[in-house]
Amino acid sequence: MEDGGVAVRRTRPGRRRSRAASVGKRSRDRSRSRSPPPRKKLSSGGDAEGLQEPQYIDSEDDLFGDYDSFSGNTSLLAEIDNIEQNCIQSTDIVLDFKKKDNETGVVPIYEDVQLQNTKNMAHALSSAKTNYGNKTEHDFLRTIKDQQDSNQKPEDNILESVPSSQLLFLKESDECLAASHKAENMKERACHVNYCTDEISNLPYCHITENDDGSNEPSTSALLKPSKRRSLKDNLKTAMTVNARAPNPLPSKRQQLKHTIVPDEIGVAEKTAGSSFVDIGPFYGLPTKVKELLVQFRGIENLYDWQHACLTLESVQERKNLIYSLPTSGGKTLVAEILILRELLCRQMDVLMILPYVAIVQEKVGGLSGFGMELGFLVEEYAGSKGRIPPIKRRLKKSLYIATIEKGHNLVNSLIETGQISNLGLVVVDELHMLGEGSRGAILEMTLAKILYSSKTTQIIGMSATLNNVGDLQQFLKAEYYTSNFRPVELKEYIKIQDSIYEVDSKAENGFAFSRLLDFKYSSSLQNTDPDHLIALVTEVIPKYSCLVFCPTKKNCENVAEMICKYLNRDYKKLKEKEKQDLIKDLTNICNGKLCPILRRTIPFGIAYHHSGLTSDERKQIEEAYSLGTLCLLTCTSTLAAGVNLPARRVILRAPYVATDFLKKNQYKQMVGRAGRAGIDKAGESILIVQEKDKELVQNLVHSPLESCYSSLHLEFNKGIRSLLLSLVGLKMATKPEEVYQFMCGTLFSIQQQLLPKEKSLWDVTVEVLQWLKQSGLLKERANGHSDQNGQHNLEITPLGQATYKGSVDLAYCNTLYKDLKKGLEGLILESCLHLLYLTMPYDMISQCIPNWMIYLKQYSCLSPGEQQVAALVGVPESFITKKASGQVIKKDVDSSTVCRLYLSLVLHALLKENNIWDVAEKFNLSRGFIQTLLNSTASFSSSVLHFCEELSEFWVYKALLTELTKRLTYCVKAELIPLMEVAGVLEARAKQLYNSGYKTLAHLANANPEVLVKSIEHLSRGQARRIVSSAKMCLAEKAEALQEEVEELLRIPTDIPPNHASL
């Protein structure tokens, strides 16, 4: 037992277990934790779930219990009888074989099982090693090896199905054969062998059968005289009893995990010392189950060559940080997902995936929840106000955190503070080029710098389609770089000037080569309406193929969609007419009986617009209709290029502008990258419409390199370097100026020294920022602290600074927020939520508000006396609103920011009361998209204010109030729909459909049959149904895990219990 043999579990009562059995039991328990491959079920029927783990017993009588066969299936005995008859018929072959060689060989019952039988015989000899001479055994093994070599087909992998223990024995046998090659031959002995077949492949070995007289001489008389032989059934029982007693070399951990290919075994794969990588399958170290799931969920059967090359890079195998860059639609995300699964399953570590937008986070949560349920890990959403800070420390399952840039930063801060950052094995960043994009880029840089500084074991993977100064990013992330120009579909870029189309060609003169003239007859009126020939360009591809038209503004999107429909042939309406009517019906239901008149006119032609002016529900419905082919043309803004993946056969850029700004190369590449659908189109094409005045600018645009990625820490002082240094001291990552400077030397900002102000070093900038933080009351020098040799005191964070960084509040507004909350305590009005809405209104939304004074006065008049008192308390008297509405001169100034915040609070107050965004949009003359953006921003800021108040005891009263308000703002629906909207991808319209169909709770949805959902919910595809059910199961599993962790924490015995005293 001590050498790794199988433990024997005794079942007879009253018998004392030996020490060896106890050791064996512990060995068996450890082997269970490694999840060895399950035994194959021998019977043809029955449910696999009904099988229990076999018990190891030492009683031959109890081995089979009351069953005639070890599978409980009597049909197996009939199969054994057939095999037995074949054995009898093969007796002559045995005799002939023995006469020829005078050696004991393997009887070829079936040619395809001969090799397995020889290996079973080899193991039989191993078990009887004490009864046979070594030389005889070696000669006999040489005979077996000769037969094996003569019968093996070169293309067969004969060892593939052999158990690892037999492989170990055969390896030792080969060594013995080599050592005894020169030994003299001795007298051969015959041996009777119990043959194992494929039908009973669960028997690990077949041992020799002893004679009835107890002698050790093997006999062939049982085969020669059937009337006197024991039945094969008895022989099988005897063989299995011997096997149970025989020591079995324990296979290596790596070999056990290599066979682990089912999800149940993946979840309990043993975490090795130091969290080293454990290869648990043939698919890039992952089990075959992952490959099957990719086919099932994504339809991906094979990887591209570049994906295979990237996954097998030496730097990836060594877990070095990696940056990789490919054109849009090249398949970058799949590589990241495989690396994520390897980290979760093979190394048993948590993973953080950072994505740029909330919509992409929700899409990815839905897409990976199915993998999580099948493979045994949790998928947690961190976007908007969703996500637990700090996260629950899981003991049994690992977590995949999918987060926006802002929530990812909050999550990393909490992991550092709670000492859980070492559990984070991998961080994946999509759209890495966003490091250079303003305040969001500064937050992303802070996140990555903190990970690099605080955890030496966390791997960072960054990917992007638009990277230029990769060297700086490599130095910052200490990363390797991989790139390829691969695209699954060829992309051809064109520009259009007047009625001529030119292909972008760097080798041609001026960079453009003439391609063709537009062949479309324009009337004079049409020429005036469509001077850019958009109708000609789109009708070349629609309705057979799909098309995207990028427009500079939201209003332009609507106008272009309506203009195209006016001049299209009426035959376009006949295509997929029913699907289009269903789409109109769905959108009408989403909007509570109302529908945008432009969409009502354009959808019958298969055309719609897509921009932020639509609600999330509307955009999602339009995206799904486009993906299914109901819509063939979308007019959209540039945000679609960076959002969800909606490829097209042709992409048209209406103008080289985004609003009034000229197009950047990164934006251009993202837009044209949508052209070409893998598996559908052979080629994709983009056409940029150019005016003569912009020709030179466009020439520079298409031929210039991508923009470099520069740090934004110095540009966004409050959201950048000031916020960074405040959090460093708050997290105790640095408490001295020198330590802060040391951290700053590891940022992208330090690498790009050219960004520093003139005549200032990085040290100078660091000291200046620390001084500003102390003057602002966010940092202070530690009391009674000793200064170092440079006269620098240790730093510590003030309560206000702690609340600011914990709540992720912009440093420009932290003092204002504190004063507003302090003032609110003097007379907090809770008759309605209006006062709380004012206190949680984001300060950065004020610039987007231009009040309509007549509407302001009308809505103010509709307030109750208590709600009107809120306006007076915050500093907006009724007289001021009345004079503004009547156009009178205002002598006494009122703070404009306060006026705007109250106006926006009235918008949300009306929305929470009515829950109808259409009615509120009409009442305040605002777009539906703006109101939803306001709602989402306020929900997120309300969560920040809640964390801010948690750090300041004087604001204790706000904690319970803001918790409930944040929940209401997050969902903004009736209470009964909230549980359903917790599921990723389920918005208000879908939640109403589910609720009305009887799916009223999360448990209902988690246990739903996707096929039934498709039939009961209108216009729900099978893929969407599967994602919804998977997400619901994941959400339910997270809640259950959290409750279980809480229970175990409550029941855990404290380690600091005072000792018991006998005297007491």
Side-chain angles (χ1 to χ4, degrees), residues 517-767:
L517 289 173
L518 275 177
D519 184 17
F520 191 88
K521 294 181 180 179
Y522 268 73
S523 64
S524 58
S525 60
L526 182 56
Q527 182 68 37
N528 293 331
T529 305
D530 182 24
D532 294 326
H533 307 101
L534 272 173
I535 295 174
L537 292 173
V538 300
T539 52
E540 288 180 343
V541 289
I542 67 168
K544 186 177 181 181
Y545 302 105
S546 58
C547 183
L548 294 175
V549 179
F550 285 101
C551 303
T553 64
K554 290 182 284 189
K555 188 62 178 175
N556 193 231
C557 289
E558 301 173 17
N559 293 339
V560 168
E562 200 162 20
M563 181 269 294
I564 292 174
C565 290
K566 285 181 180 178
Y567 293 95
L568 284 182
N569 192 305
R570 299 302 163 184
D571 292 339
Y572 281 82
K573 286 188 172 183
K574 299 177 182 178
L575 300 170
K576 299 189 176 182
E577 189 172 2
K578 182 181 181 303
E579 289 88 342
K580 294 171 184 175
Q581 290 303 318
D582 289 341
L583 175 59
I584 291 175
K585 181 181 176 181
D586 288 344
L587 288 171
T588 304
N589 292 334
I590 286 173
C591 303
N592 295 310
K594 299 182 180 181
L595 179 63
C596 171
I598 297 176
L599 290 176
R600 190 179 296 277
R601 289 192 292 269
T602 61
I603 288 176
F605 289 92
I607 298 173
Y609 66 85
H610 183 290
H611 57 60
S612 60
L614 297 170
T615 65
S616 299
D617 283 303
E618 290 173 306
R619 288 199 300 270
K620 190 173 184 64
Q621 201 71 37
I622 289 172
E623 290 163 5
E624 290 175 358
Y626 177 82
S627 298
L628 293 172
T630 304
L631 299 175
C632 58
L633 173 64
L634 292 183
T635 58
C636 50
T637 55
S638 60
T639 53
L640 184 68
V644 293
N645 186 22
L646 294 176
R649 173 64 175 270
R650 175 177 290 181
V651 169
I652 301 171
L653 280 67
R654 175 77 173 74
Y657 291 91
V658 174
T660 57
D661 298 326
F662 195 78
L663 205 61
K664 296 179 181 178
K665 183 61 177 282
N666 290 348
Q667 294 172 322
Y668 170 76
K669 280 296 184 183
Q670 281 191 323
M671 291 181 192
V672 302
R674 295 298 183 194
R677 299 167 298 173
I680 301 176
D681 299 326
K682 294 182 179 179
E685 54 187 23
S686 68
I687 301 175
L688 172 59
I689 298 175
V690 182
Q691 307 300 325
E692 283 289 348
K693 64 182 181 65
D694 295 325
K695 185 176 179 180
E696 188 173 342
L697 291 174
V698 169
Q699 184 177 352
N700 294 332
L701 170 69
V702 296
H703 294 296
S704 64
L706 295 165
E707 287 87 5
S708 295
C709 182
Y710 293 112
S711 171
S712 299
L713 284 180
H714 68 298
L715 298 175
E716 301 288 338
F717 270 101
N718 289 320
K719 290 186 178 180
I721 191 169
R722 289 175 179 172
S723 178
L724 172 59
L725 269 55
L726 177 66
S727 64
L728 289 180
V729 178
L731 291 168
K732 297 181 174 57
M733 296 177 67
T735 57
K736 297 179 180 178
E738 290 82 0
E739 294 174 348
V740 174
Y741 173 73
Q742 182 182 359
F743 178 94
M744 288 298 299
C745 289
T747 62
L748 179 62
F749 180 48
S750 70
I751 294 169
Q752 298 170 335
Q753 295 284 335
Q754 69 272 24
L755 301 178
L756 290 168
K758 290 184 178 179
E759 300 178 356
K760 286 187 179 180
S761 65
L762 183 61
W763 169 257
D764 295 333
V765 173
T766 302
V767 171

Side-chain angles (χ1 to χ4, degrees), residues 763-917:
W763 169 257
D764 295 333
V765 173
T766 302
V767 171
E768 283 183 8
V769 173
L770 290 175
Q771 189 64 30
W772 183 90
L773 291 172
K774 286 188 285 187
Q775 291 173 356
S776 301
L778 301 174
L779 290 181
K780 63 180 180 180
E781 293 181 354
R782 186 173 300 172
N784 300 323
H786 298 287
S787 61
D788 59 18
Q789 58 184 359
N790 297 322
Q792 298 290 338
H793 291 269
N794 288 349
L795 300 170
E796 66 179 10
I797 197 166
T798 64
L800 177 60
Q802 182 83 356
T804 301
Y805 107 80
K806 279 291 191 70
S808 299
V809 177
D810 191 331
L811 270 61
Y813 306 125
C814 62
N815 285 304
T816 305
L817 176 62
Y818 179 83
K819 291 176 183 177
D820 287 343
L821 292 172
K822 192 75 172 175
K823 185 178 180 180
L825 290 177
E826 297 173 2
L828 190 61
I829 298 175
L830 298 177
E831 178 183 326
S832 70
C833 61
L834 180 61
H835 201 172
L836 289 175
L837 286 172
Y838 173 82
L839 292 173
T840 56
M841 183 58 56
Y843 295 96
D844 54 6
M845 292 295 295
I846 296 173
S847 60
Q848 304 179 44
C849 175
I850 303 177
N852 183 314
W853 294 107
M854 291 302 296
I855 294 175
Y856 208 149
L857 179 60
K858 183 178 179 179
Q859 294 303 314
Y860 179 86
S861 303
C862 294
L863 297 176
S864 67
E867 291 170 339
Q868 289 181 354
Q869 190 179 352
V870 173
L873 281 173
V874 300
V876 184
E878 181 180 4
S879 59
F880 172 81
I881 301 174
T882 304
K883 290 179 180 179
K884 275 289 189 180
S886 61
Q888 297 180 29
V889 177
I890 306 296
K891 295 181 180 178
K892 184 179 179 180
D893 289 336
V894 176
D895 183 48
S896 60
S897 63
T898 303
V899 173
C900 290
R901 289 184 73 202
L902 181 61
Y903 186 74
L904 294 176
S905 301
L906 292 174
V907 174
L908 291 186
H909 182 249
L911 183 61
L912 290 179
K913 284 203 306 184
E914 300 178 20
N915 291 327
N916 190 331
I917 198 168

Side-chain angles (χ1 to χ4, degrees), residues 107-357:
V107 181
I109 296 176
Y110 296 109
E111 188 172 341
D112 58 344
V113 299
Q114 178 177 347
L115 179 60
Q116 180 67 35
N117 292 336
T118 62
K119 291 172 183 173
N120 291 333
M121 181 181 292
H123 191 278
L125 287 173
S126 176
S127 300
K129 194 168 184 178
T130 57
N131 299 327
Y132 292 91
N134 287 337
K135 291 186 178 180
T136 303
E137 178 183 343
H138 293 162
D139 293 340
F140 187 84
L141 288 173
R142 189 184 301 114
T143 303
I144 294 174
K145 185 171 181 63
D146 293 340
Q147 290 178 350
Q148 175 180 318
D149 295 339
S150 64
N151 288 286
Q152 179 184 347
K153 297 179 181 180
E155 64 274 11
D156 293 337
N157 186 3
I158 62 172
L159 298 181
E160 185 172 296
S161 60
V162 179
S164 53
S165 55
Q166 292 193 22
L167 288 174
L168 181 63
F169 171 76
L170 290 176
K171 181 179 178 181
E172 294 174 354
S173 301
D174 288 341
E175 294 174 356
C176 292
L177 288 172
S180 61
H181 182 68
K182 297 180 180 180
E184 295 181 358
N185 293 330
M186 297 183 68
K187 184 177 180 180
E188 318 299 345
R189 297 184 181 183
C191 178
H192 169 65
V193 180
N194 292 321
Y195 293 96
C196 293
T197 66
D198 290 341
E199 286 78 355
I200 51 173
S201 59
N202 279 338
L203 293 176
Y205 320 107
C206 283
H207 289 279
I208 61 173
T209 304
E210 297 178 359
N211 292 332
D212 294 337
D213 60 1
S215 66
N216 290 333
E217 283 294 323
S219 173
T220 59
S221 61
L223 284 176
L224 299 177
K225 300 178 181 180
S227 61
K228 296 182 180 181
R229 64 180 175 83
R230 295 172 64 188
S231 68
L232 185 57
K233 171 183 168 183
D234 293 335
N235 285 333
L236 285 171
K237 285 188 176 182
T238 304
M240 289 189 68
T241 304
V242 175
N243 288 344
R245 294 184 178 131
N248 176 24
L250 189 66
S252 67
K253 182 188 302 180
R254 180 181 180 86
Q255 219 165 8
Q256 280 188 330
L257 293 176
K258 193 75 175 180
H259 290 84
T260 307
I261 60 172
V262 292
D264 293 339
E265 296 170 338
I266 296 169
V268 293
E270 184 179 23
K271 184 176 180 180
T272 57
S275 298
S276 59
F277 178 83
V278 179
D279 187 341
I280 60 174
F283 185 65
Y284 302 101
L286 290 166
T288 307
K289 181 69 174 179
V290 173
K291 189 174 183 180
E292 295 171 357
L293 292 175
L294 285 174
V295 176
Q296 178 183 344
F297 294 151
R298 307 281 179 80
I300 298 173
E301 296 184 0
N302 297 299
L303 271 62
Y304 297 128
D305 290 343
W306 83 264
Q307 291 172 328
H308 173 75
C310 186
L311 287 169
T312 54
L313 287 173
E314 183 178 353
S315 55
V316 173
Q317 305 305 318
E318 295 175 357
R319 296 194 72 254
K320 294 180 180 178
N321 295 345
L322 177 69
I323 300 171
Y324 63 98
S325 177
L326 282 96
T328 303
S329 303
K332 297 184 294 296
T333 305
L334 179 59
V335 170
E337 289 175 350
I338 290 174
L339 293 174
I340 286 171
L341 294 177
R342 284 175 53 168
E343 195 70 23
L344 289 164
L345 304 181
C346 301
R347 298 191 69 247
Q348 290 287 294
M349 300 289 282
D350 295 330
V351 177
L352 169 61
M353 188 177 195
I354 299 177
L355 301 171
Y357 303 110

